[in-house]
Amino acid sequence: MEARVRSGVPGLDEILGGGFFLGQTYGITGGPGSGKSILSMEFLVRGAENGERGLYVTSEVSPEKLVRQMPFWDLQGCIDRGDIVTFSTRPQPGDLSERTEKFDLAGLTYMIKHYVRNNGIKRVVFDSVDAFVQQYDNHLPLRRALNDLIGMLESYGCTTLLIIEGSGDMSRECLEYMVDGAIELGRIETHHDVVRYAQVRKMRGTAHDMNKRAMEISDKGIFITNMRPFVGD
Amino acid sequence: MEARVRSGVPGLDEILGGGFFLGQTYGITGGPGSGKSILSMEFLVRGAENGERGLYVTSEVSPEKLVRQMPFWDLQGCIDRGDIVTFSTRPQPGDLSERTEKFDLAGLTYMIKHYVRNNGIKRVVFDSVDAFVQQYDNHLPLRRALNDLIGMLESYGCTTLLIIEGSGDMSRECLEYMVDGAIELGRIETHHDVVRYAQVRKMRGTAHDMNKRAMEISDKGIFITNMRPFVGD
Amino acid sequence: MEARVRSGVPGLDEILGGGFFLGQTYGITGGPGSGKSILSMEFLVRGAENGERGLYVTSEVSPEKLVRQMPFWDLQGCIDRGDIVTFSTRPQPGDLSERTEKFDLAGLTYMIKHYVRNNGIKRVVFDSVDAFVQQYDNHLPLRRALNDLIGMLESYGCTTLLIIEGSGDMSRECLEYMVDGAIELGRIETHHDVVRYAQVRKMRGTAHDMNKRAMEISDKGIFITNMRPFVGD
Amino acid sequence: MEARVRSGVPGLDEILGGGFFLGQTYGITGGPGSGKSILSMEFLVRGAENGERGLYVTSEVSPEKLVRQMPFWDLQGCIDRGDIVTFSTRPQPGDLSERTEKFDLAGLTYMIKHYVRNNGIKRVVFDSVDAFVQQYDNHLPLRRALNDLIGMLESYGCTTLLIIEGSGDMSRECLEYMVDGAIELGRIETHHDVVRYAQVRKMRGTAHDMNKRAMEISDKGIFITNMRPFVGD
Amino acid sequence: MEARVRSGVPGLDEILGGGFFLGQTYGITGGPGSGKSILSMEFLVRGAENGERGLYVTSEVSPEKLVRQMPFWDLQGCIDRGDIVTFSTRPQPGDLSERTEKFDLAGLTYMIKHYVRNNGIKRVVFDSVDAFVQQYDNHLPLRRALNDLIGMLESYGCTTLLIIEGSGDMSRECLEYMVDGAIELGRIETHHDVVRYAQVRKMRGTAHDMNKRAMEISDKGIFITNMRPFVGD
Amino acid sequence: MEARVRSGVPGLDEILGGGFFLGQTYGITGGPGSGKSILSMEFLVRGAENGERGLYVTSEVSPEKLVRQMPFWDLQGCIDRGDIVTFSTRPQPGDLSERTEKFDLAGLTYMIKHYVRNNGIKRVVFDSVDAFVQQYDNHLPLRRALNDLIGMLESYGCTTLLIIEGSGDMSRECLEYMVDGAIELGRIETHHDVVRYAQVRKMRGTAHDMNKRAMEISDKGIFITNMRPFVGD
């Protein structure tokens, strides 16, 4: 069996049955504001603290804004030390190459491979896949391109989180069939309160906790508890 | 972390965990009659009282009608003093340029930049983005154009509210993924009463109140309470 | 603020918070048989009794049939005295011009302007907008044409009701975003009874009653009560 | 106001508030097996007993089969005496003209006019409109053609029932907006029983019973009761 | 009225109010595994025992497989004696004519007519109509072709069951409007058990049991009870 | 009747009423992470232990990854001994033939036939059919190609499991109509726990357990119990 990679995110390894598997790819799903970006970035920060270099690929937000919006942990330090590399597929001011227009999944796979090779990257986050998925209007070439990306990352031993918004025509479920595991983040609203949760929806190769577990976001980052997210309801 | 901008709308800063972040963009969603325009205009009026100049871009209603329909605060005074600038993308009687037809998000970004630069604008409201979003029939160029608009506003330090109706093919949720935060206004109908509420759905960079909070609209404007909108139900 | 126009329909002005606003446009929505036409016609009759001339534009039914189907009030008298003018966009027997085919919203705006000017019209009802809305297959030109119609009516000080069936592809909600107010008529079916209701869904510029209110239709016309439409359920 | 036409179907006139109106057109809706054809045919038989000649237009079933499938009343006698005329738009064996293909609503209107004129028809049933509605792929020409049909029938004083299956793209609700009244037939299934009901959904020009009323079909035909269709549930 | 044909399937004639009508066509609907094929085949076997020859038309399964999958009754004997004729529209190994591609409903009608004439067929089962229905992309020619098939079968006095999966774009309900009766087979899942049921949804020309009735499938075939399919729930 | 093939998966043969039928094809459905791949692979492993050689066709995952992700039983040993043959339709690194692009269901049928013939295969698993089904945009040629595949497998006496994701336009239900049986895997989430279940949805030729049965996945593989998956709810 694959070796395990402890995410280091408090509580996450427990519901995964011992952490992610090395070199596999996982989907992170959830609505706007559900905590997908924070959980994924903390996955990189905890890796960096452990000597595993991370790559954060964003399709839209500039890396500088990302850092300002996550004033948790020592994210800026990780970036300054080169322990986390950020890469935006969005053209920057002064960027002549009009990069985004031409980026498809094949180009992205090529680019990420370049980063992974040259920087010894071990953890990858892709926030989000939707802008790329939306370039395809049928399932077949999309499945192939995603498989190529996943296969490349696996061949380099990169453990990867794909943030999946599911806002386009290709359904969220279709992507969940293709990844090795899937974690859903959400909110439950009762008459009394609104509680965040994390739930492992799929995890190949191991038994895992199937329940929704209450999750909190504070200025220290993510904390997944071992409690059900229903309080007195 | 970004500096905070207190909206000044009674109760709003509290549920935002201390106000908006400077230079970020927020979505305001809700059905017809839910109070999106009033809340957004009060955001400008309260800024003007505090010395921050505001820009109100409307896609359809004439600025004169807007003022007549919000006989709250000293809106007319703010406009007369130039503290709030209104701009309608709808051609006015006698306007030869047939402006609306040609306006796309790129043109709008250019125009707003012009206003922001020349008038020292610090707060922007865009009521509503739907007429512009409806010019796009796939997600990719829309995402890029919106990112350009958001990036421009950020580079000038403008805190912005985008009113999102979500009436076209591009889903409301897709837009909510792209903004830095999102507030939903709505109504809850029980057997006993109908109560308005405001709920922060997304807020990057801070903990925030996740609950629905009862909201009232009176001739003094918006008032967001710290109570749940369920009364004896 | 705008001046108020008391509709004169029993109970309607109360739930509107004091009547319509002069020169503004309101949507009337509801399923088949919900009372949209009767409420709208009574709005004209009550205006006529008060010296405000009305225009009833129908897209399909002949004016003669309309009168026969509403044997309430002194509708025939109003028409005979010219206090209510009816106009059908449907070609009449013997009509050579094949009018309907060519009528679009721009043509209709032109035609209504003509009537309004020449007859000193103060109240307009448009029953229904759907046949016109269905000529458009995307939102943008529809929004513009509707805005032109609404702007023209406002410039002449006409208070207007648009009956919205919402049977085509353009959603009912999209139209409700564009008007200054919206009233929904409907039916609630319990185990014990079926009760009609009226509910103000949107009303710019004023506080208003947000509840569903029981409504009755009798041979005297519309009567909106101050009671909730739930009896012993 | 229009004169009333008592349908003669037991219980139907009561829930209509006194019968149909002369020369108006009513929609009959309901799922497969709900009793639309029987109710409509009984409307013709009761008219024939009262000296009003009827026309039954079917789009698919042969008139002979229709009669065999409704062994109620003296239907065969009515047909033999010419009190009820049946006309099928479906080509019969030996029919060279391939009629159905070319029949559109305009052709049908012409054909029915011919029958109505020559036979002094006073009641018309059209079972069903769906095959004709399905020839149109947008609302506008359909609305016009239906309006022409309805106007022609009215000009000859024919009271008409349109059976609406609603199986195509044009929604059932769209047709219900166009007719002068609408009756829905259906079934309610409880843990204890299945009960048929009839409900007047729309009725221009009169107050009417808005409730679902229990309906029975026996070998004497339709019987609409004054009871709610909920027994001990 | 038509003569009755007793199906011979235990319990079925009772809920039909005395059996099918001679020469009419009935739809059998239900999800995968609901018993449509078994009920229909038993209809043929019981007819054969009574001297009425049957025809089983299948669109996909080979007749040999069909027999092996229904080891009930003396099906093989019926086939050997020629009391039940099976015909598959699916090309068989060694079949050069590539039959399926060219088969449309008109071709099928012609072929079935041939079988019916030459073999004195009295009962027909068509399992399933979906592969044929899916050749049509609008309702009109489909309605006509189905009417021709139904008319032909009636003219030869064949009582027919059409198995309707309803898996394509043409809705199941549309087909149910066209047949003379419809029986739905299904499953009800409670906390305690899963129970099969049969329910007559439509039956022209007679009163019938409208309730869901518990149904069992055993190695003796179908058994429809007179009980509701709810046990202690 | 067909001979039975005991799957060997604990508890599965019991709910099938005694195992699968020799040479027939079964659908396995369920959401991401529901256990479809594990159940299917165990079906092959148990066959191999019994001397029946198995073929595992995957559309995306490499065979090596598959084995690493199922560290249960002696899967690697089965493969090493040639008792289970794996075949991926996804091009491998260094594979010049670009196989996937050209693979359609006909090509796959040909390829599987080759494997089955040369290796004496008795059990086949196809994980998943979706990438192939998605090559078709209407039902007719898909039905034919699937029937050819099913017929070929039957002619060689192969018992087959088709994993059906149902993520494309062709509905899951459509495929379930075509196979000889269907098993659904799923999860039930209560306030107290999440429990896996297996349910036989369809099974031609035999009575079977119709209930949902609690299922567990451990490091020994699948275990289907005889209990309902509702615990204290």
Side-chain angles (χ1 to χ4, degrees), chain C residues 23-197:
Chain C
Q24 301 209 351
T25 298
Y26 299 88
I28 309 294
T29 64
S34 57
K36 301 180 299 299
S37 295
I38 298 179
L39 182 141
S40 300
M41 189 60 98
E42 183 161 356
F43 166 72
L44 295 189
V45 170
R46 299 305 173 204
E49 293 172 354
N50 210 31
E52 300 173 45
R53 201 165 272 173
L55 172 66
Y56 200 94
V57 184
T58 79
S59 54
E60 280 147 8
V61 178
S62 70
E64 293 73 28
K65 187 168 183 179
L66 252 175
V67 174
R68 286 200 311 274
Q69 288 183 333
M70 296 195 203
F72 312 136
W73 333 290
D74 183 25
L75 176 55
Q76 187 63 62
C78 289
I79 292 176
D80 292 345
R81 287 186 296 274
D83 292 339
I84 294 178
V85 181
T86 65
F87 168 64
S88 172
T89 64
R90 181 185 169 206
Q92 303 307 313
D95 184 338
L96 298 175
S97 62
E98 295 279 316
R99 286 186 297 173
T100 306
E101 294 293 8
K102 287 162 216 139
F103 254 117
D104 60 6
L105 272 174
L108 185 79
T109 302
Y110 181 85
M111 179 67 82
I112 291 179
K113 190 175 175 177
H114 174 84
Y115 271 83
V116 165
R117 252 192 190 147
N118 292 5
N119 297 277
I121 300 294
K122 285 297 156 197
R123 296 186 177 199
V124 176
V125 167
F126 195 166
D127 181 358
S128 69
V129 293
D130 287 60
F132 287 85
V133 167
Q134 285 157 12
Q135 297 177 25
Y136 295 82
D137 49 17
N138 74 59
H139 284 75
L140 229 54
L142 169 64
R143 288 183 96 121
R144 179 157 191 179
L146 272 174
N147 271 323
D148 286 345
L149 173 61
I150 292 172
M152 182 276 288
L153 289 163
E154 189 182 1
S155 72
Y156 285 94
C158 291
T159 309
T160 303
L161 305 188
L162 300 182
I163 293 183
I164 300 170
E165 297 172 354
S167 57
D169 283 339
M170 299 291 170
S171 76
R172 192 192 74 167
E173 199 168 76
C174 167
L175 294 171
E176 287 181 329
Y177 280 118
M178 302 185 64
V179 290
D180 297 306
I183 299 168
E184 178 184 298
L185 307 184
R187 265 181 288 231
I188 290 176
E189 192 160 351
T190 69
H191 270 231
H192 302 288
D193 213 348
V194 180
V195 189
R196 296 179 184 280
Y197 70 85

Side-chain angles (χ1 to χ4, degrees), chain B residues 73-195:
Chain B
W73 332 292
D74 182 24
L75 177 55
Q76 187 63 63
C78 289
I79 291 176
D80 293 345
R81 287 186 296 273
D83 292 338
I84 294 178
V85 181
T86 65
F87 168 64
S88 171
T89 64
R90 182 186 169 205
Q92 304 306 313
D95 184 338
L96 299 176
S97 61
E98 295 279 315
R99 285 186 298 172
T100 306
E101 293 293 7
K102 287 163 217 139
F103 254 117
D104 60 6
L105 273 173
L108 185 79
T109 301
Y110 181 85
M111 179 67 82
I112 292 179
K113 190 175 176 177
H114 174 84
Y115 271 83
V116 166
R117 252 193 191 148
N118 293 4
N119 297 277
I121 300 294
K122 285 297 156 198
R123 297 186 176 200
V124 176
V125 167
F126 195 166
D127 181 359
S128 69
V129 294
D130 287 62
F132 287 85
V133 167
Q134 285 158 11
Q135 298 177 23
Y136 295 82
D137 49 16
N138 74 59
H139 285 73
L140 230 54
L142 169 64
R143 288 183 95 121
R144 178 158 192 179
L146 272 174
N147 271 323
D148 287 345
L149 173 61
I150 292 173
M152 182 275 288
L153 290 163
E154 188 182 1
S155 72
Y156 284 94
C158 292
T159 308
T160 302
L161 305 188
L162 301 182
I163 293 183
I164 300 170
E165 297 172 355
S167 57
D169 283 340
M170 300 290 171
S171 76
R172 194 193 74 167
E173 199 169 75
C174 167
L175 296 171
E176 288 180 329
Y177 280 118
M178 303 185 63
V179 290
D180 297 306
I183 299 168
E184 178 184 298
L185 306 184
R187 265 182 289 232
I188 290 176
E189 192 160 349
T190 70
H191 269 230
H192 301 290
D193 213 348
V194 180
V195 189

Side-chain angles (χ1 to χ4, degrees), chain D residues 30-33 36 59-61 65 68-72 90-91 98 100-101 128 130-132 134-135 165 167-168 187 189-196 217, chain E residues 1-2 23-25 139-140 143-144 147-148 150-152 154 171 173-174 176-178 180 199-208 210-212 228 230 233:
Chain D
K36 301 181 299 297
S59 54
E60 280 147 10
V61 178
K65 187 167 183 179
R68 287 199 311 274
Q69 288 183 333
M70 295 195 204
F72 313 136
R90 182 186 169 204
E98 295 278 318
T100 307
E101 294 292 6
S128 70
D130 286 61
F132 286 86
Q134 285 157 12
Q135 296 177 26
E165 298 172 353
S167 56
R187 264 182 290 233
E189 192 159 350
T190 70
H191 269 230
H192 301 289
D193 212 349
V194 180
V195 188
R196 295 179 185 280
I217 301 180
Chain E
M1 190 55 223
E2 320 269 353
Q24 300 208 351
T25 297
H139 286 74
L140 229 56
R143 288 183 95 122
R144 179 160 190 177
N147 271 324
D148 286 345
I150 292 172
M152 183 274 289
E154 189 182 0
S171 76
E173 198 168 77
C174 168
E176 288 181 329
Y177 279 117
M178 302 185 63
D180 297 305
Q199 181 179 34
V200 182
R201 302 286 301 169
K202 174 179 180 175
M203 187 75 187
R204 287 192 184 138
T206 182
H208 61 88
M210 294 194 296
N211 285 288
K212 286 187 172 70
R228 309 293 308 276
F230 312 102
D233 190 51

Side-chain angles (χ1 to χ4, degrees), chain E residues 187-195 229 233, chain F residues 184 188 197 199 201 210-213 228-230:
Chain E
R187 265 182 289 232
I188 291 176
E189 192 159 350
T190 69
H191 270 231
H192 301 289
D193 212 349
V194 180
V195 188
D233 190 51
Chain F
E184 179 183 297
I188 291 176
Y197 70 85
Q199 182 179 34
R201 302 286 301 170
M210 293 194 295
N211 285 288
K212 287 188 172 69
R213 295 298 172 186
R228 308 292 310 276
F230 311 104

